[in-house]
């Protein structure tokens, strides 16, 4: 999500999406991941919905005039909305059919495309895409088809990219103007990176296995002077998408930096949008590699805004509120679908696993955190650590990073034991397996909150000593 300004009057940051094919990952999992642009004051909570045959028959947006009918039968699902938009801005999670969704990456259509097909003021906006799609689809492909149909019927109010993942496929959709869109099935042997910009180029309307799109995507572009067949094959980005000077600092560097991290041999020019749409990593990408990628801020370079305490650095860093959706199809759905969530700011936070099969979360995550700091919510437990860390990044960050790295290592081992116990139990006693999984997952979430509160006290102890050393006045 991205708006020009939020309620606090501060400019928002950025979204960055990373998608990893199962043959490109170290553990054979597929990954759909995103950091979401984010105002620190908009606290995020975990929201949990249950399967129902009697759900709401209409979606009514809180912060726009968008309305649409809904099927009464809905799947249960989890979301990560901002506190002031319950039932909206779901952001990321899984439904009970095991489909994962990440919504949304803000993108921009060109002025020429928008002149031909303008955005619809009361159309489908980023606030509602998650909650009107995920509860009603049983596969990633169905997610694309439902979202695409909604775009065509109601029109888009803004530009967005949205991902879907299941046991068999991962899809990513980019809209274009008010009523057009293109979705591509992600290659299993490649990875995909995007940062607030449409990335798709190739489209073969005859290849239904790998492409889905608005029926008149090419014809509309040709009719309205967005594409001339005499120039060669249709290029979605060239026809519909924006490329401006702002993109050279706001968007290009993130794609450039992450492709350089995963594929050092690719010789990209950070000032030119010639990055490959899909790339092959030099080595298989692990979960730890993804955690590192979402903490990327041009570390130790002239463009590192944290190292140099430069809030006006033109290169946008990657690290913000982040989720990593992991799908391991060889495992039962309950433990084979995991959402790793770093609340607040990934660089100074910890990735906490949320198993799809767990039926509840630690109360601190569902407690309605607000825009004011509190002592009960999970969000503020992590945000306070990050906020203190940012007051003197070079002093605090090494301490925070070391502590959370140790906790993530501990969690990795804990997960192995949780999954082993689940596999040993679920066939003969599925209810017991679910109960044990839920209890163990809640224990990890509580551990992370308690750990963060202890870490905050440790940081304040160090800060107090530091201040005293600076202002200890000696004399008679």
């Amino acid at each position: 999500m991205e708006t020009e300004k939020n309620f606090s009057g501060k400019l928002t940051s950025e979204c960055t999406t990373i998608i990893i094919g199962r043959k490109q990952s170290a553990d054979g999992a597929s990954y759909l991941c995103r950091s979401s642009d984010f105002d620190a004051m908009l606290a995020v909570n975990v929201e949990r919905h249950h399967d129902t045959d009697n759900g709401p028959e209409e979606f009514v947006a809180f912060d726009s005039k968008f309305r649409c009918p809904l099927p009464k039968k809905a799947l249960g699902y989890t979301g990560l909305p901002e506190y002031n938009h319950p039932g909206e801005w779901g952001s990321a999670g899984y439904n009970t059919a095991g489909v994962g969704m990440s919504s949304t990456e803000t993108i921009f259509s060109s002025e020429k495309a928008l002149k031909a097909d303008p955005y619809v003021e009361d159309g489908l906006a980023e606030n509602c895409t998650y909650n009107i799609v995920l509860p009603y689809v049983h596969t990633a492909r169905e997610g694309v088809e439902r979202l695409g149909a909604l775009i065509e019927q109601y029109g888009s109010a803004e530009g967005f990219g949205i991902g879907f993942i299941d046991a068999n496929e991962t899809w990513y959709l980019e809209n274009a103007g008010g009523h057009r869109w293109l979705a591509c099935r992600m290659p299993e042997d490649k990875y995909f990176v995007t940062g607030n910009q449409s990335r798709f180029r190739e489209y073969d309307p005859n290849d239904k296995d790998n492409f889905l799109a608005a029926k008149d995507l090419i014809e509309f572009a040709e009719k309205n002077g967005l594409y001339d067949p005499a120039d060669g094959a249709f290029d979605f980005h060239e026809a519909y998408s924006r490329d401006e000077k702002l993109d050279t600092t706001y968007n290009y560097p993130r794609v450039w930096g992450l492709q350089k991290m995963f594929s050092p041999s690719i010789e990209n020019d950070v000032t030119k949008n010639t990055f490959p749409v899909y790339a092959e990593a030099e080595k298989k990408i692990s979960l730890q590699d993804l955690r590192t990628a979402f903490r990327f801020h041009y570390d130790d370079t002239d463009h590192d805004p944290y190292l140099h305490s430069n809030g006006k650095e033109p290169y946008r860093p990657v690290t913000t509120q982040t989720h990593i959706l992991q799908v391991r199809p060889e495992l039962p759905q309950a433990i084979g679908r995991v959402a790793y969530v770093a609340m607040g700011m990934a660089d100074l936070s910890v990735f906490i696993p949320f198993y799809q099969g767990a039926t509840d979360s630690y109360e601190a995550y569902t407690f309605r955190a607000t825009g004011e700091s509190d002592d009960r919510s999970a969000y503020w437990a992590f945000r306070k650590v990050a906020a203190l860390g940012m007051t003197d990044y070079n002093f605090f960050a090494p301490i925070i990073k070391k502590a959370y790295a140790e906790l993530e290592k501990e969690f990795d081992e804990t997960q192995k034991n949780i999954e082993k116990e689940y596999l040993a139990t679920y066939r003969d006693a599925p209810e017991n397996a679910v109960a044990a999984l839920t209890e163990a997952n809640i224990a990890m979430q509580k551990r992370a909150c308690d750990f963060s509160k202890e870490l905050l006290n440790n940081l304040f102890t160090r800060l107090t000593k530091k201040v005293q050393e600076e202002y200890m006045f000696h004399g008679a």
Side-chain angles (χ1 to χ4, degrees):
M1 59 181 181
E2 181 169 78
T3 54
E4 289 301 314
K5 289 192 176 183
N6 52 49
F7 77 95
S8 67
K10 300 294 180 66
L11 290 173
T12 55
S13 186
E14 77 294 323
C15 285
T16 304
T17 293
I18 303 175
I19 300 174
I20 311 295
R22 70 185 63 183
K23 294 180 181 178
Q24 183 76 109
S25 70
D27 58 1
S30 299
Y31 288 93
L32 170 61
C33 327
R34 181 171 57 88
S35 63
S36 57
D37 55 13
F38 192 54
D39 182 327
M41 308 311 293
L42 293 177
V44 169
N45 306 295
V46 174
E47 195 171 74
R48 188 175 291 275
H49 303 267
H50 300 286
D51 288 359
T52 180
D53 291 324
N54 193 34
E57 296 184 61
E58 183 182 34
F59 178 85
V60 178
F62 289 110
D63 54 354
S64 76
K65 295 180 180 179
F66 179 77
R67 308 286 186 271
C68 78
L70 296 172
K72 292 187 69 174
K73 187 178 180 65
L75 294 167
Y77 68 103
T78 55
L80 296 166
E82 297 166 350
Y83 78 91
N84 54 345
H85 293 121
E88 286 189 13
W89 292 112
S91 184
Y94 296 99
N95 65 22
T96 51
V99 179
M101 181 175 177
S102 178
S103 173
T104 62
E105 177 92 21
T106 300
I107 61 176
F108 303 90
S109 295
S110 68
E111 289 185 11
K112 192 173 182 180
L114 290 173
K115 186 175 181 180
D117 183 16
Y119 290 136
V120 178
E121 183 178 355
D122 297 331
L124 188 68
E126 295 184 295
N127 61 322
C128 51
T129 52
Y130 188 85
N131 300 76
I132 66 173
V133 174
L134 187 59
Y136 310 102
V137 300
H138 293 78
T139 67
R141 184 181 289 261
E142 280 185 24
V144 169
E145 292 170 339
R146 176 170 171 80
L147 178 57
L150 289 165
I151 292 170
E152 293 179 30
Q153 180 177 356
Y154 296 100
S156 300
E158 56 194 333
F160 48 74
I162 294 175
F164 298 90
I165 188 169
D166 64 24
N168 300 309
E169 300 179 320
T170 306
W171 285 81
Y172 190 73
L173 179 150
E174 296 180 346
N175 71 345
H179 300 84
R180 272 82 205 170
W181 57 277
L182 171 63
C184 299
R185 182 186 180 193
M186 297 291 104
E188 292 187 350
D189 59 348
K190 299 289 192 298
Y191 70 88
F192 172 82
V193 174
T194 181
N196 289 128
Q197 192 173 35
S198 171
R199 299 270 291 119
F200 290 155
R201 294 190 176 273
E202 179 186 354
Y203 168 49
D204 180 355
N206 297 315
D207 184 357
K208 304 298 184 184
D209 289 337
N210 295 300
F211 299 98
L212 294 169
K215 292 181 178 64
D216 65 344
L217 184 68
I218 296 178
E219 291 78 7
F220 183 86
E222 187 175 348
K223 180 180 177 180
N224 288 275
L226 305 175
Y227 163 60
D228 184 350
D231 294 334
F234 175 76
D235 184 317
F236 177 76
H237 183 89
E238 290 293 330
Y240 286 101
S241 304
R242 187 192 78 176
D243 251 314
E244 296 180 354
K245 184 177 180 180
L246 171 65
D247 295 307
T248 62
T249 55
Y250 197 86
N251 300 326
Y252 294 1
R254 279 176 279 151
V255 176
W256 170 83
L258 290 174
Q259 287 193 350
K260 187 177 180 63
M261 179 183 294
F262 295 143
S263 312
S265 61
I266 296 179
E267 296 183 0
N268 287 325
D269 183 339
V270 70
T271 67
K272 297 178 181 178
N273 191 2
T274 55
F275 315 110
V277 177
Y278 308 111
E280 185 174 348
E282 190 170 277
K283 64 181 182 65
K284 297 292 182 71
I285 298 170
S286 68
L287 173 61
Q288 180 55 41
D289 292 331
L290 286 169
R291 291 190 289 222
T292 300
F294 280 108
R295 290 170 170 138
F296 177 66
H297 48 88
Y298 315 98
D299 306 46
D300 302 320
T301 72
D302 291 343
H303 291 286
D304 187 335
Y306 308 146
L307 177 68
H308 303 295
S309 302
N310 181 14
K312 298 186 182 300
E313 165 58 48
Y315 279 23
R316 298 297 86 194
V318 172
T319 172
T320 53
Q321 170 95 6
T322 301
H323 53 264
I324 296 174
L325 302 185
Q326 178 196 54
V327 172
R328 294 171 291 172
E330 76 281 3
L331 293 174
Q333 179 177 300
I335 58 173
R337 313 288 197 280
V338 186
Y340 295 88
V341 179
M343 284 197 163
M345 177 185 178
D347 189 49
L348 298 180
S349 187
V350 58
F351 281 92
I352 305 157
F354 287 77
Y355 282 97
Q356 187 275 337
T359 58
D360 204 354
S361 305
Y362 181 50
E363 60 184 5
Y365 293 82
T366 55
F367 173 78
R368 186 60 56 81
T370 69
E372 295 186 1
S373 179
D374 64 63
D375 293 325
R376 291 185 59 186
S377 70
Y379 175 80
W380 280 107
F382 302 110
R383 172 51 66 182
K384 284 189 278 193
V385 170
L388 180 58
M390 290 303 292
T391 63
D392 189 342
Y393 185 86
N394 292 319
F395 177 74
F396 287 120
I399 303 167
I400 298 170
K401 286 172 172 286
K402 183 176 184 295
Y404 279 144
E406 291 174 354
L407 184 61
E408 285 178 351
K409 186 176 180 181
E410 174 190 317
F411 281 176
D412 289 344
E413 292 302 313
T414 300
Q415 284 185 262
K416 292 177 184 177
N417 294 328
I418 289 174
E419 293 167 12
K420 183 178 180 180
E421 180 179 346
Y422 183 90
L423 289 171
T425 307
Y426 87 101
R427 286 188 180 87
D428 297 326
E431 291 184 3
N432 292 345
V434 170
L437 174 65
T438 301
E439 182 180 355
N441 207 176
I442 288 175
M444 294 178 76
Q445 294 158 10
K446 181 178 185 301
R447 165 77 170 134
C449 285
D450 292 344
F451 185 95
S452 294
K453 292 174 182 178
E454 293 172 8
L455 177 58
L456 184 66
N457 285 331
N458 177 281
L459 296 174
F460 267 105
T461 299
R462 292 170 182 265
L463 176 61
T464 302
K465 183 179 179 182
K466 186 171 182 284
V467 170
Q468 177 174 269
E469 289 173 350
E470 185 171 354
Y471 292 100
M472 176 69 77
F473 297 102
H474 299 279

